[in-house]
Amino acid sequence: MSWRNTLVTNGEMADLLTMLHAAGMPNTQSGTNLLLCPMPHERGGRLRFDPKHRRWQVSPGFEAHPAYWVTWVGAAAMAAWSGARLPTRTEALDATLGAPPARNCNYATGDVSPVIEPGLGTGQVHHLVGNLQIWCGDGPAQNAHRPEQRFLFGAAWNTPGSRAAVTEERSRYLLGSSRGVGIRLVRDSATTQATGLGAWELAHRVNRWIEEIGAPGRSPGELDRSLVTALTAGAPTS
């Protein structure tokens, strides 16, 4: 398994959101933000939709900063689009064992810093700990009828950076988001660039799930697991 060396940037997230919108999957469905919560600038909102040009734009100067206010659905969509996946909590624990202390945590800089960490090369993982917590691909065991949750891992610019804080078990619902959680991608033998899903396929899968919401007898847990499957299943074979 290999870890991508940087967190996903605002620029990359804007590209994905724009392509999904063009493919017929707007970020907001019936008042609910599926992929990203577009917040005001004073609350860290760096991404916004431009209805005139029908594309997502990044606040100038923040293109290379890591994307936050991203839901697990948005993180999983980015992973599927990239031919990658989200790490499990155990994989994150193993990867950060013995890692240097976080540079950007506990309000040291007042916000995220760019994804490139000073002093590190392209062959090293930047901000392995710190800058942002990350969404994981797995979550705590839930009652089958209750909504699914997914683990968060690590330290962020606005959380403590001690090993105890980094490894503390925490989780959030699939549509949750915050200013302290972003996306880190990993690849293994089953996830390569060739397995990535195009924007049209991703939009089709999520829109099909949206249609399922109105079906009678579907519990929140069943609907959540259906969405997880839609976002993590491999590319269709020809």
Side-chain angles (χ1 to χ4, degrees):
M1 187 190 76
S2 60
W3 287 69
R4 183 176 133 152
N5 66 332
T6 62
L7 295 160
V8 169
T9 66
N10 286 319
E12 292 171 304
M13 200 68 203
D15 287 343
L16 174 60
L17 290 167
T18 296
M19 283 189 274
L20 287 175
H21 185 90
M25 183 191 153
N27 176 58
T28 303
Q29 302 279 350
S30 302
T32 299
N33 297 309
L34 292 181
L35 307 165
L36 176 136
C37 185
M39 299 296 286
H41 186 82
E42 59 271 15
R43 293 195 61 190
R46 312 302 184 211
L47 289 157
R48 59 189 56 81
F49 183 68
D50 179 353
K52 180 179 179 181
H53 297 98
R54 300 180 63 82
R55 65 179 298 107
W56 283 78
Q57 296 183 336
V58 183
S59 298
F62 290 92
E63 294 84 358
H65 284 64
Y68 49 39
W69 287 118
V70 180
T71 68
W72 183 88
V73 177
M78 174 59 75
W81 184 57
S82 303
R85 63 176 174 85
L86 303 176
T88 66
R89 183 174 186 275
T90 297
E91 289 169 342
L93 278 166
D94 291 344
T96 57
L97 188 63
R103 289 188 180 183
N104 189 12
C105 64
N106 206 28
Y107 295 91
T109 63
D111 203 343
V112 289
S113 54
V115 297
I116 299 298
E117 190 171 1
L120 297 187
T122 57
Q124 297 172 282
V125 179
H126 297 241
H127 297 291
L128 180 59
V129 178
N131 221 9
L132 285 178
Q133 296 175 2
I134 57 171
W135 280 110
C136 294
D138 59 340
Q142 293 285 105
N143 179 292
H145 298 289
R146 293 182 60 81
E148 288 283 298
Q149 296 186 36
R150 287 295 178 267
F151 289 125
L152 309 175
F153 183 84
W157 65 273
N158 57 354
T159 69
S162 66
R163 183 62 183 173
V166 167
T167 60
E168 179 184 358
E169 187 173 305
R170 61 182 75 83
S171 61
R172 188 165 289 166
Y173 293 111
L174 303 187
L175 294 181
S177 65
S178 82
R179 197 173 173 178
V181 180
I183 310 168
R184 173 85 68 183
L185 303 178
V186 298
R187 279 184 177 164
D188 54 27
S189 59
T191 52
T192 66
Q193 188 64 46
T195 66
L197 299 179
W200 289 95
E201 175 66 19
L202 272 171
H204 170 70
R205 293 186 183 194
V206 176
N207 285 332
R208 187 170 56 189
W209 171 80
I210 291 171
E211 293 173 359
E212 295 177 0
I213 294 176
R218 303 292 298 275
S219 69
E222 185 179 2
L223 286 168
D224 278 0
R225 287 190 294 277
S226 176
L227 179 57
V228 170
T229 299
L231 291 172
T232 57
T237 57
S238 57

